[in-house]
Amino acid sequence: MTMWTTLGNALQPLLGMLDRHVPSAPKQPVILPRRVTPHSATPSERVNEIVERLDLHKTKWTRTSCQERAKLLRRCMDSLLAVEEDLARALATHKGSYGIGIGEERTALLPIMFGLAEYCETLRAGAAPKPLSIRERKDGQLVATVLPTGPVGLLLPNFRGEVWIEPSRPASQGAVYRRKAAGEGMQDGSGGVALVLGAGNQVPVVALDILHKLIADDEVVIVKTNPVNDYIGPLLRRAFAPLVEAGFLEFVYGGSDIGKLLTHHPRISSIHLTGSSETYNAIVWGGALGGQPPLSATKRITAELGNVTPYIVVPGGEWTADDIEYHASNLATALAHNAGHNCNGLEVLLTDRDWPLRPVLMAAVKAKLAELPPREPWYPGAREKYDRFLERFPSAEQLGSVVPGPGAGVVPWLVAEGLTLEQGQLQQENWCGVFQEVPLSGCGGDPVRFMRTAAHAANTHIAGSLAAGLICHPTVQAAHAEAWDDFLSSLRYGAISVNAPLLFLFGQTSLTWGAFPGNTPHDIGSGVGVVHNTMLFDYPQKSVLHGPWRYHPRPFWLVDNGAAGEGWLLPAVMRFTMAVADRNLPLALWWVSVAAAAALRG
């Protein structure tokens, strides 16, 4: 444990005490989403010119030293800070704002700053920064602890982030950079022009995909923004201005025609997309599946394609009323964030039917949702999915007060509880403000039996392998340490978050984000490949974020935390991150104290 983590741990009781006495920030008005007119498509001739120009700069990029790259990224931190409020306001305008101003969108921008800072540190370390530790599991699998490092321990003292390495593989790092150092140049796919097909739901997905292709894959990047949110293009271009001006990055706009032009362009060497399996199949196969994918011979294709995300509540331990409240708030946020349009959002809650606290927790989750302002599904197709869910589960409980009139597009939260695995809708993402509770029978409240049953249910009955959330009391983890480790190992998910929402894991960019290995173009599931992974591990299998049972002050990621809105909390966290990147510890201490004071208003 570092000095910073020790100090952060020591401050937790004080922050918890202050949390109970500092008044919360006042709620702000609800503002419904405003429809967006997409940008005009970039002319084909202009697209070709941009690709050719990027192609001319790819060799310059591969020859840019780690130290020079770090300087470019550090300049991007300044330009991101300059544009973050404009970006958050644009996002809140088009997605809606539900009581905390621009806070939800500002929180979503933090991972971009974290990613820039962590890549800076990695590059300064020659693309192979030393993890906090590496342990070996009983079966020989290596696990690298990567979080929290340095002064970040002040912010996240009780968190531990791990990257699990593929079995029988070494915990090696920075393969592209090792090859270059050995004089292998652009062999094995390093270098080239990468196409990023931007996600339509979250700006940090697009930004971090860009950084991954630049730093991890050593490629210059052209981004085709999604028409759903292409208003972010000019703002992200400003945030990454140093990379754009150097000729290593550019943005274009348009629909499927421009997408097809780029995916088949002879100068494009790789493609990364975030979306659905249908989008992937249309791009890779161009029609019916069978034989060899037409694009596979000429382009490397990676993808993140979503998930029917399970949250699993392990029975056992002594839960207080405050514990119930805390974890109910996290589960409500896991559903409500971004109106449910997240690939890591709560879709299915697995519980133990015999656990005495199951009805208590369910009542608390529903009470939290009832308190949250209902939202208008803004993502194309989401309202139709909502209606289909209600048609399938007509007795689903409706939560939240919906006022008829101008907000007729607003819909209540829906909860279908007490379902069996056979009754549940577990093969398709709902992608909106609904979830299913599936209590598993035959476990008798025994945590070890439940963990085995839940792992089997998640792996075999629920579609996807991207991410899973777990809630488990620390005493249960300690009392059944071997069974707990086996549980984590047996879950075939690329990201697992313990006692914290998956949206928080997504924001910790030293961890990996992507499907569990094993998918193929013929059966793509949640996708193939990983992003984030700022320590550049060559063979990651999954990432596990271990969170504290309770965190103080009130978590900034909660969708009803007013401190995240117009105040100093999130700008202070960004400036703290920049000070840590500059190794300016006095300034880092100042900004973390500002952030702590602002957080107490949550």
Side-chain angles (χ1 to χ4, degrees):
M1 185 178 293
T2 68
M3 172 189 70
W4 302 107
T5 304
T6 301
L7 179 57
N9 279 326
L11 289 172
Q12 281 289 292
L14 174 62
L15 291 170
M17 181 184 69
L18 292 173
D19 219 4
R20 290 190 288 270
H21 298 289
V22 176
S24 297
K27 293 298 180 185
Q28 298 185 46
V30 169
I31 300 173
L32 297 179
R34 195 178 77 191
R35 297 292 174 241
V36 184
T37 301
H39 280 279
S40 298
T42 306
S44 299
E45 297 79 7
R46 176 62 179 154
V47 172
N48 286 320
E49 289 172 6
I50 290 170
V51 173
E52 293 293 336
R53 188 172 72 248
L54 286 166
D55 189 62
L56 291 173
H57 281 80
K58 69 185 182 186
T59 301
K60 181 181 177 183
W61 177 244
T62 60
R63 293 176 179 172
T64 301
S65 70
C66 287
Q67 299 305 317
E68 289 303 313
R69 290 182 180 200
K71 290 177 182 176
L72 276 171
L73 297 189
R74 178 58 187 84
R75 287 171 54 202
C76 288
M77 295 175 78
D78 290 327
S79 50
L80 173 62
L81 186 69
V83 77
E84 62 91 11
E85 185 173 345
D86 290 345
L87 191 48
R89 292 196 184 283
L91 291 163
T93 297
H94 296 297
K95 294 182 178 186
S97 174
Y98 295 88
I100 63 169
I102 61 173
E104 186 171 315
E105 301 307 330
R106 242 181 175 168
T107 303
L109 299 180
L110 288 178
I112 308 175
M113 188 65 84
F114 295 161
L116 286 166
E118 290 167 9
Y119 278 127
C120 278
E121 190 64 29
T122 289
L123 291 165
R124 289 166 181 163
K130 187 177 179 180
L132 292 172
S133 65
I134 296 180
R135 66 180 174 92
E136 186 174 318
R137 296 185 62 251
K138 62 184 179 182
D139 60 1
Q141 182 178 20
L142 299 179
V143 177
T145 301
V146 299
L147 180 152
T149 58
V152 175
L154 283 170
L155 285 178
L156 307 174
N158 296 320
F159 286 86
R160 185 175 83 257
E162 299 174 335
V163 176
W164 292 37
I165 307 303
E166 289 185 5
S168 303
R169 292 285 199 171
S172 59
Q173 298 165 265
V176 166
Y177 296 85
R178 294 200 312 275
R179 288 197 296 266
K180 288 202 295 185
E184 297 179 22
M186 293 173 61
Q187 295 180 16
D188 300 323
S190 63
V193 182
L195 168 63
V196 169
L197 295 172
N201 65 323
Q202 289 283 17
V203 65
V205 177
V206 185
L208 292 168
D209 289 351
I210 291 168
L211 292 174
H212 179 84
K213 296 302 289 183
L214 282 162
I215 306 302
D217 288 353
D218 203 26
E219 297 172 306
V220 294
V221 177
I222 184 168
V223 182
K224 192 197 83 66
T225 56
N226 192 308
V228 173
N229 67 346
D230 65 6
Y231 56 87
I232 70 172
L235 294 161
L236 269 184
R237 196 174 186 276
R238 284 167 54 194
F240 289 144
L243 292 164
V244 174
E245 292 162 3
F248 304 137
L249 171 67
E250 194 51 271
F251 294 79
V252 297
Y253 306 91
S256 58
D257 290 347
I258 297 300
K260 188 173 183 179
L261 169 64
L262 286 165
T263 55
H264 290 80
H265 199 290
R267 299 289 190 191
I268 297 294
S269 56
S270 75
I271 301 168
H272 180 79
L273 68 105
T274 300
S276 67
S277 57
E278 289 80 7
T279 302
Y280 174 91
N281 289 333
I283 291 170
V284 172
W285 293 94
L289 277 67
Q292 190 69 13
L295 286 180
S296 65
T298 57
K299 305 182 193 301
R300 291 173 292 112
I301 303 174
T302 53
E304 189 265 271
L305 303 175
N307 197 51
V308 179
T309 305
Y311 275 71
I312 303 171
V313 183
V314 179
E318 296 294 327
W319 292 54
T320 68
D322 286 344
D323 296 337
I324 293 284
E325 169 90 3
Y326 179 87
H327 291 287
S329 293
N330 276 334
L331 288 168
T333 284
L335 176 67
H337 190 270
N338 203 33
H341 309 324
N342 286 334
C343 57
N344 55 30
L346 168 63
E347 293 259 353
V348 182
L349 186 64
L350 296 181
T351 59
D352 185 337
R353 184 178 292 277
D354 300 320
W355 182 43
L357 290 181
R358 172 190 159 230
V360 180
L361 179 63
M362 283 302 299
V365 173
K366 291 189 290 184
K368 283 291 176 185
L369 289 172
E371 293 171 1
L372 295 177
R375 301 196 181 195
E376 179 177 334
W378 59 266
Y379 203 89
R383 179 57 193 262
E384 289 76 13
K385 290 185 176 183
Y386 180 96
D387 291 340
R388 286 197 295 271
F389 183 89
L390 189 55
E391 182 178 348
R392 176 162 179 169
F393 302 109
S395 61
E397 190 167 353
Q398 303 187 23
L399 303 166
S401 176
V402 177
V403 179
V410 171
V411 293
W413 313 108
L414 295 180
V415 180
E417 61 182 314
L419 305 176
T420 65
L421 289 169
E422 293 69 32
Q423 292 170 331
Q425 180 177 294
L426 307 179
Q427 295 302 307
Q428 293 180 330
E429 278 186 302
N430 289 300
W431 194 252
C432 57
V434 306
F435 83 93
Q436 305 159 78
E437 187 245 357
V438 177
L440 302 176
S441 300
C443 301
D446 178 73
V448 174
R449 192 184 308 166
F450 176 82
M451 285 188 276
R452 288 196 296 264
T453 303
H456 177 75
N459 289 336
T460 61
H461 286 75
I462 301 175
S465 62
L466 179 63
L470 311 180
I471 299 175
C472 183
H473 198 283
T475 60
V476 173
Q477 298 179 40
H480 307 284
E482 185 172 353
W484 173 249
D485 187 65
D486 289 343
F487 181 44
L488 295 177
S489 176
S490 65
L491 287 166
R492 296 178 59 82
Y493 289 88
I496 299 170
S497 185
V498 180
N499 295 334
L502 283 161
L503 62 92
F504 183 75
L505 181 152
F506 176 90
Q508 306 313 304
T509 49
S510 58
L511 302 176
T512 56
W513 186 256
F516 191 84
N519 294 324
T520 69
H522 293 80
D523 184 11
I524 195 59
S526 287
V528 62
V530 300
V531 291
H532 303 186
N533 187 28
T534 55
M535 286 194 173
L536 303 182
F537 287 99
D538 298 328
Y539 306 108
Q541 181 199 51
K542 66 170 73 172
S543 285
V544 181
L545 176 70
H546 302 265
W549 186 236
R550 298 264 298 282
Y551 174 79
H552 301 293
R554 193 160 186 268
F556 60 83
W557 58 76
L558 296 178
V559 293
D560 60 347
N561 188 336
E566 308 289 335
W568 267 101
L569 172 58
L570 300 177
V573 173
M574 285 195 173
R575 286 169 169 83
F576 164 79
T577 305
M578 296 168 71
V580 171
D582 293 338
R583 297 167 184 171
N584 187 335
L585 294 184
L587 191 58
L589 288 170
W590 164 253
W591 283 119
V592 80
S593 65
V594 172
L600 289 169
R601 298 278 331 269

